[in-house]
Amino acid sequence: MKIYKFLSMLFIALSLFTPSACTSNDDDEPQAAAAGNLQIKFENGFNNLGDIVLNQTTQTSSNGQKHQLSALKYVVSNITLIDETGKEFKYNENNPDKGAFIVDQADAVGGIVYLNLNEIPQNNYRKIKFGLGISQNAYLLGQNGQAEFWTKAKAKGMSWSWAAGYVFVKLEGKYGNSTADTEFMNHTGNMGNVTANNTPDLYREITLDLPTTARVTGKITPSIHILADLNQYLSGDTKLTLTAANNMMMGSSQHLVEVTDNLTKMFKVDHVHND
């Protein structure tokens, strides 16, 4: 009888202990950190004149040529955030429908074009990397993952009307020696499979250090403010002059390769807000 009573009491004790222990273990399990959002602000200007006002702001190049812009657009894709340990978070890599954007100066509000990214892992980020244009890896996937972006690009005039591919950068306006009175357009970009066509690949990746950490949390949405100095267009590492030979160029000619290489140097992070 005593043994039966002892076993009964032991069974009850174990029954009470087991669920409480399980509850304790469940509470101690780490919860996944909530994803957050991130904003990137692009501000296009000439470094000595401030923000660009289309059809108004006139710049003088290092070669003494005056020019102003009536259209300023470029594609940004494959945005990557790099944390304090060097680990990368790739935002919809090679998926233009979700991860590519068109920065159009005509859409600027107070001189700024805003890009809003969501579902960013909570972390402290020290660098940002992004592509200027659309990578061949993304383009060669075909319609999968870029049908929506293709429609947007076509509506924005950022696709070729006579060939397959995207316009990466569209610069249009007027230029001249004493006054800006001659029309120009320089449209850079790939057409089709650059390897098969034996043409230069104008897609470029740019990596920028952040002056302060972008702290993404479920409650904090950092804003990374990037300045783009369009003085690099004609006055960058390669000093360019617009002439009748290159003022109406589209695609990936040598002049547009040099334009592309100049423009990759125009970006810098001015500051980061953690609000």
Side-chain angles (χ1 to χ4, degrees):
M1 185 70 177
K2 291 182 179 180
I3 294 176
Y4 174 77
K5 185 176 181 180
F6 172 78
L7 291 174
S8 298
M9 293 178 65
L10 179 62
F11 176 78
I12 293 172
L14 288 173
S15 299
L16 292 172
F17 175 79
T18 301
S20 64
C22 290
T23 302
S24 176
N25 288 340
D26 289 344
D27 290 341
D28 290 341
E29 288 180 2
Q31 301 296 314
N37 301 315
L38 177 75
Q39 185 179 76
I40 305 175
K41 300 191 290 189
F42 282 90
E43 185 173 358
N44 300 309
F46 291 118
N47 66 344
N48 57 325
L49 298 176
D51 294 344
I52 290 172
V53 178
L54 297 176
N55 296 304
Q56 292 186 36
T57 308
T58 301
Q59 175 66 304
T60 303
S61 72
S62 58
N63 286 338
Q65 191 172 63
K66 297 186 181 300
H67 57 285
Q68 63 177 222
L69 298 171
S70 60
L72 164 54
K73 308 176 187 181
Y74 50 89
V75 174
V76 171
S77 67
N78 285 350
I79 297 170
T80 299
L81 300 170
I82 304 170
D83 71 12
E84 295 170 315
T85 67
K87 183 179 179 181
E88 296 186 347
F89 167 68
K90 298 180 179 182
Y91 186 78
N92 295 303
E93 183 182 28
N94 294 325
N95 184 350
D97 278 355
K98 295 182 178 180
F101 305 86
I102 298 171
V103 178
D104 184 350
Q105 188 63 15
D107 297 333
V109 177
I112 295 173
V113 178
Y114 296 84
L115 309 185
N116 295 306
L117 282 57
N118 52 31
E119 295 300 315
I120 307 299
Q122 180 171 312
N123 209 334
N124 296 326
Y125 297 102
R126 294 308 305 265
K127 295 183 180 183
I128 184 170
K129 179 167 63 176
F130 57 88
L132 183 62
I134 298 292
S135 73
Q136 280 282 284
N137 288 337
Y139 172 74
L140 293 176
L141 290 174
Q143 191 174 16
N144 183 33
Q146 58 185 309
E148 291 180 23
F149 184 71
W150 180 263
T151 300
K152 293 177 183 178
K154 188 175 181 180
K156 279 286 192 180
M158 296 299 281
S159 63
W160 306 115
S161 59
W162 70 93
Y166 294 98
V167 178
F168 292 173
V169 179
K170 174 175 280 191
L171 300 175
E172 297 178 358
K174 294 181 179 180
Y175 74 98
N177 292 327
S178 56
T179 59
D181 54 9
T182 302
E183 299 280 346
F184 79 89
M185 62 178 184
N186 279 182
H187 299 175
T188 77
N190 293 343
M191 295 181 186
N193 186 325
V194 296
T195 302
N197 296 335
N198 194 29
T199 55
D201 184 358
L202 295 193
Y203 174 75
R204 299 287 187 273
E205 288 192 341
I206 295 99
T207 302
L208 304 174
D209 292 328
L210 305 184
T212 55
T213 301
R215 301 190 301 274
V216 176
T217 72
K219 296 181 179 180
I220 297 176
T221 299
S223 177
I224 300 175
H225 193 136
I226 297 176
L227 300 181
D229 174 19
L230 270 296
N231 200 46
Q232 294 294 317
Y233 168 40
L234 299 179
S235 305
D237 289 345
T238 301
K239 313 304 179 188
L240 301 176
T241 301
L242 291 169
T243 68
N246 62 24
N247 64 5
M248 292 290 169
M249 281 197 161
M250 293 168 279
S252 56
S253 67
Q254 181 56 37
H255 169 71
L256 295 178
V257 171
E258 293 171 345
V259 167
T260 297
D261 290 340
N262 276 356
L263 293 178
T264 59
K265 304 292 181 63
M266 71 179 176
F267 300 103
K268 75 172 184 179
V269 178
D270 186 64
H271 59 273
V272 175
H273 285 296
N274 287 293
D275 299 327

